[in-house]
Amino acid sequence: MRELEQNIEKVLITQEQIAAKVKELAAEMDAFYQDKEVLLICILKGSVTFFSDLTRVVSFPVMYDFMCVSSYGNSTVSGGSVRILKDVSVDIAGKHVLVVEDILDTGNTLTALFAQLEARNPASLKLCCFLDKPDRRTKPIEADFTGFQIPDEFVVGYGLDYDEQYRQLPYVGVLKRSVYEK
């Protein structure tokens, strides 16, 4: 892990800050979803760490499912075209659905995804994002539950990657430009 950390310009959000925020978000969700069963949809792969930590501290009944949606490929910028690589395996009609995503950036991916999910008639459809980059937004979408608002910097760690690397870092760090501007 030491060689990965050499490519981190600075730590933006520490492991301790993340743990505190996950508990804070869980308390907010507990109040909102009181007495409801919720289908939590983890958007693979970047959200897995956040999803796993979050699901262990919420107190409302949950079911899990997973989707894999891609718009970045090996780039640092969303290409605008959204591909669903893995869809949910259950019918979401009539269910309270909470999509758990790692980062809300341009909003292109989530806008397309939410249009598709809304067409399936869930009882409710909400969004929880670990990170929010409002300066990059090109679509009018906002998270219902947000962990951290961050500046327009390329971040990795705590599940977020660059070219499938850095996911295992226990914090969120800014990746040195020299790594991705080759």
Side-chain angles (χ1 to χ4, degrees):
M1 186 142 66
R2 181 175 237 104
E3 52 189 78
L4 292 179
E5 290 182 327
Q6 292 174 2
N7 293 329
I8 302 301
E9 183 178 308
K10 65 182 174 185
V11 173
L12 195 61
I13 306 168
T14 67
Q15 188 172 2
E16 294 76 20
Q17 289 171 309
I18 292 169
K21 183 58 77 173
V22 168
K23 288 179 184 171
E24 181 184 312
L25 282 170
E28 193 179 330
M29 291 176 195
D30 286 346
F32 184 82
Y33 286 114
Q34 185 176 7
D35 301 324
K36 291 184 176 89
E37 183 176 75
V38 181
L39 172 63
L40 296 175
I41 298 177
C42 176
I43 305 300
L44 299 173
K45 300 175 190 172
S47 302
V48 169
T49 306
F50 175 52
F51 181 85
S52 180
D53 286 350
L54 188 64
T55 59
R56 286 194 302 262
V57 292
V58 296
S59 63
F60 52 89
V62 298
M63 298 179 295
Y64 292 2
D65 211 333
F66 301 87
M67 291 185 82
C68 189
V69 182
S70 177
S71 67
Y72 284 82
N74 289 339
S75 175
T76 61
V77 179
S78 174
S81 70
V82 176
R83 295 181 325 153
I84 294 185
L85 306 175
K86 184 217 176 303
D87 206 343
V88 291
S89 56
V90 298
D91 182 7
I92 69 169
K95 291 182 172 54
H96 296 284
V97 176
L98 177 60
V99 174
V100 179
E101 177 63 297
D102 56 357
I103 191 163
L104 176 52
D105 195 343
T106 63
N108 291 336
T109 303
L110 288 169
T111 297
L113 177 63
F114 266 58
Q116 187 178 87
L117 292 175
E118 285 170 346
R120 299 178 192 183
N121 301 313
S124 67
L125 181 60
K126 301 292 181 189
L127 175 61
C128 174
C129 286
F130 174 58
L131 300 175
D132 183 15
K133 278 189 193 178
D135 292 344
R136 303 245 324 135
R137 198 88 74 250
T138 59
K139 299 283 186 184
I141 186 169
E142 297 297 325
D144 300 283
F145 305 96
T146 302
F148 297 93
Q149 195 173 86
I150 63 169
D152 185 13
E153 297 187 275
F154 191 76
V155 293
V156 294
Y158 195 67
L160 291 98
D161 75 303
Y162 170 66
D163 200 20
E164 295 299 325
Q165 299 291 313
Y166 305 95
R167 292 187 195 277
Q168 76 268 36
L169 296 176
Y171 54 81
V172 174
V174 176
L175 191 61
K176 290 180 181 175
R177 286 185 176 274
S178 61
V179 174
Y180 59 89
E181 289 182 350
K182 297 176 186 174

